[in-house]
Amino acid sequence: MTSSTSTNFIAFFGATGGCTNACLVHTLNAGFHATALARTPSKLTDMLLAQGITQSIIDTQLTIVKGDIADIHAIKAVLTNNSIATTTGNSTVKIATQIISGIGGTPQMRMSLSKPMTIDNPEICATATKNIIHSLQEIYAAHPSTTQHRPSITVISTTGVSNVREDVPFGFRTFYHVVLADPHKDKKVMEDLVVANASSTSGVFRGAVIIRPSLLTGDQNVKKGKGWQKVKVGVEDKPAVGYTIHRADVGEWICEQIIKTGGESRFGQRVTLTC
């Protein structure tokens, strides 16, 4: 028979993406342990080294699992820090305390008469979320004691899924909304899946926070951020006013305000961030 425990590690999905990558850097610098799913582990390692994370920190605080968001086995490995694969007899199954998901897919340009210049894989975010939920359901079914330590989830919902008109410069509004029409729909489905699941007594998450950045600028390099203290924060019904925000600052804000605190005060919120 197996038991379960939460050992305070954070599970990252989409960790090579800008905001999520910056969040991972700050998480490791803060001394947390983490797991991350990466299609190319060496790419993630190189990104971390370039931002000052030492090889020693990577070796001792981070477990990188090779795979993609369609690989249920790999997702389970990230969520449990590989403990399912090594569990025997009365061994303990570990499960993440928090999940940080910045899945967005590889941008693609699709041309059609009805929707010219549509960017992104049209259902990648919703599919990724369903796979994470399904993986947790299978973990709970195989190891019932893990339900005592359900993780929370923070989803970074980029491309301004709910941005009001003021959040997009006037000359860019039409192009912005036409090009990102499908990604907006995808991310709205993703958000609704996460929030509904976290709100259910039988859900796999103990709580959920949706992060909605305004137009992203700059790369994920934490050395180029302005600092999380300068981030303007709003909620869905009262968004923070502003056009852009640095990817590095989004990552730092999530680390400071969600990971370090546990995020309970934000559960159920769709938080808007801008500079």
Side-chain angles (χ1 to χ4, degrees):
M1 183 176 181
T2 60
S3 60
S4 72
T5 184
S6 177
T7 55
N8 294 321
F9 70 90
I10 317 298
F12 283 81
F13 295 94
T16 55
C19 299
T20 313
N21 183 263
C23 184
L24 176 57
V25 171
H26 285 289
T27 299
L28 294 173
N29 276 330
F32 288 91
H33 287 75
T35 57
L37 183 67
R39 190 190 306 270
T40 309
S42 60
K43 176 182 177 181
L44 177 56
T45 298
D46 290 343
M47 293 175 74
L48 297 175
L49 291 171
Q51 295 177 83
I53 298 297
T54 65
Q55 187 64 53
S56 175
I57 289 177
I58 294 173
D59 292 341
T60 58
Q61 292 176 221
L62 178 64
T63 300
I64 303 176
V65 176
K66 181 178 174 59
D68 59 37
I69 201 62
D71 186 343
I72 298 297
H73 178 77
I75 295 172
K76 289 181 182 178
V78 173
L79 293 170
T80 64
N81 201 5
N82 283 318
S83 61
I84 287 181
T86 59
T87 297
T88 58
N90 293 319
S91 299
T92 297
V93 173
K94 304 173 185 177
I95 194 159
T97 54
Q98 299 183 51
I99 299 168
I100 307 296
S101 178
I103 297 295
T106 302
Q108 295 178 345
M109 185 71 78
R110 295 182 293 110
M111 301 297 293
S112 69
L113 294 177
S114 60
K115 293 181 179 179
M117 298 181 296
T118 300
I119 296 177
D120 224 342
N121 299 328
E123 298 178 356
I124 182 65
C125 295
T127 300
T129 301
K130 291 174 183 177
N131 287 345
I132 292 173
I133 291 172
H134 179 67
S135 297
L136 282 169
Q137 289 171 335
E138 288 195 354
I139 291 170
Y140 296 160
H143 308 279
S145 61
T146 56
T147 59
Q148 302 172 34
H149 302 289
R150 294 181 303 157
S152 65
I153 185 168
T154 298
V155 172
I156 306 171
S157 188
T158 56
T159 72
V161 66
S162 68
N163 280 358
V164 294
R165 290 176 63 84
E166 292 76 14
D167 286 329
V168 184
F170 179 80
F172 188 56
R173 287 176 190 167
T174 300
F175 175 78
Y176 178 85
H177 289 293
V178 169
V179 169
L180 296 177
D182 282 347
H184 283 189
K185 293 176 183 178
D186 180 31
K187 289 176 172 62
K188 184 64 165 60
V189 172
M190 169 188 69
E191 290 185 12
D192 291 345
L193 281 169
V194 168
V195 171
N197 189 279
S199 302
S200 171
T201 56
S202 60
V204 299
F205 308 119
R206 77 171 188 275
V209 184
I210 306 298
I211 304 296
R212 293 170 167 174
S214 292
L215 293 173
L216 294 170
T217 186
D219 58 29
Q220 82 287 340
N221 194 319
V222 299
K223 300 174 184 178
K224 299 179 181 179
K226 294 182 178 179
W228 72 272
Q229 299 93 335
K230 296 185 179 181
V231 173
K232 298 177 184 177
V233 184
V235 291
E236 183 176 27
D237 58 350
K238 191 176 181 180
V241 177
Y243 287 159
T244 63
I245 188 169
H246 287 229
R247 289 175 171 83
D249 293 335
V250 174
E252 186 175 11
W253 189 92
I254 293 171
C255 181
E256 293 292 332
Q257 298 296 306
I258 304 294
I259 290 178
K260 288 185 178 181
T261 67
E264 282 82 0
S265 65
R266 295 285 183 181
F267 282 177
Q269 291 187 1
R270 306 194 194 210
V271 180
T272 70
L273 300 180
T274 190
C275 290

